[in-house]
């Protein structure tokens, strides 16, 4: 995917981040980063952790580091790095673009930086993570990535 880097909204792919889904035996057992509360994210670097559901987390790190993320985890941990494409939508109009196909209330008082949710983008399941005031990460299944990108590009046209 080619990045669109100019204008009030930008879209790019974050290539090959390590992704590990984890269901811990002990929810206080992550060696380096505290676990997030429901709908939240902890950490900002490598790794960071998204809450996906009760007792269910997604650890995300640098490309090629999935085995390092698995080290020291108790419970069920699975490398799902190839299962999702990670897109980054940013700029002052990013929230408006997402609103074209996402049913979540994206108003800053309801969904802001450090928040995440499993939701839809048009008809596709995704994980949405707001990383900054005007920056979002969209994690979508690789088989739906082309569809998701096309939907986002279509929604972006009025802002470019």
């Amino acid at each position: 995917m080619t990045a669109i880097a100019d204008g009030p909204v930008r879209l790019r792919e974050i290539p090959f981040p390590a992704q590990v889904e984890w269901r811990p035996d002990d929810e206080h057992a992550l060696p380096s980063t505290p676990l997030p509360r429901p709908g939240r994210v902890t950490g900002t670097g490598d790794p960071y952790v998204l809450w996906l559901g009760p007792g269910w987390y997604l650890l995300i790190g640098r490309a090629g580091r999935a085995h390092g993320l698995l080290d020291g985890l108790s419970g069920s941990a699975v490398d799902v790095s190839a299962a999702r494409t990670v897109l980054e939508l940013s700029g002052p109009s990013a929230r408006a673009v997402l609103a074209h196909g996402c049913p979540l209330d994206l108003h800053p008082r309801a969904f802001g930086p450090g928040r995440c949710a499993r939701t839809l983008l048009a008809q596709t399941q995704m994980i949405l993570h707001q990383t900054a005031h005007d920056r979002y990460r969209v994690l979508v299944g690789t088989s739906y990535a082309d569809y998701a990108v096309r939907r986002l590009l279509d929604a972006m046209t009025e802002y470019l």
Side-chain angles (χ1 to χ4, degrees):
M1 181 184 118
T2 303
I4 296 178
D6 294 327
V9 64
R10 295 169 295 283
L11 178 65
R12 72 180 183 106
E13 181 179 10
I14 298 175
F16 313 115
Q19 300 176 59
V20 171
E21 284 192 14
W22 180 43
R23 295 181 184 259
D25 291 334
D26 175 8
E27 294 201 18
H28 304 288
L30 187 60
S32 60
T33 305
L35 293 177
R37 298 184 326 256
R40 300 286 180 172
V41 177
T42 56
T44 56
D46 181 31
Y48 61 96
V49 183
L50 286 77
W51 183 88
L52 297 182
W56 184 20
Y57 302 93
L58 179 64
L59 287 69
I60 299 180
R62 289 190 310 264
R65 232 179 89 43
H67 290 293
L69 292 177
L70 291 165
D71 291 344
L73 297 179
S74 64
S76 172
V78 178
D79 179 359
V80 294
S81 300
R84 291 185 193 93
T85 296
V86 181
L87 306 170
E88 184 175 77
L89 187 67
S90 62
S93 297
R95 181 166 49 105
V97 168
L98 282 171
H100 281 267
C102 178
L104 279 181
D105 180 358
L106 298 172
H107 190 278
R109 72 175 165 256
F111 194 86
R115 299 295 306 257
C116 68
R118 296 177 66 221
T119 186
L120 296 174
L121 175 64
Q123 299 172 359
T124 302
Q125 292 183 19
M126 71 165 172
I127 299 169
L128 183 63
H129 169 206
Q130 187 170 358
T131 60
H133 170 69
D134 63 353
R135 181 167 290 139
Y136 299 85
R137 291 207 174 151
V138 175
L139 292 81
V140 63
T142 54
S143 60
Y144 297 102
D146 182 66
Y147 172 77
V149 167
R150 289 175 189 272
R151 289 296 303 229
L152 289 170
L153 290 173
D154 182 60
M156 289 170 63
T157 56
E158 70 182 90
Y159 303 99
L160 297 177

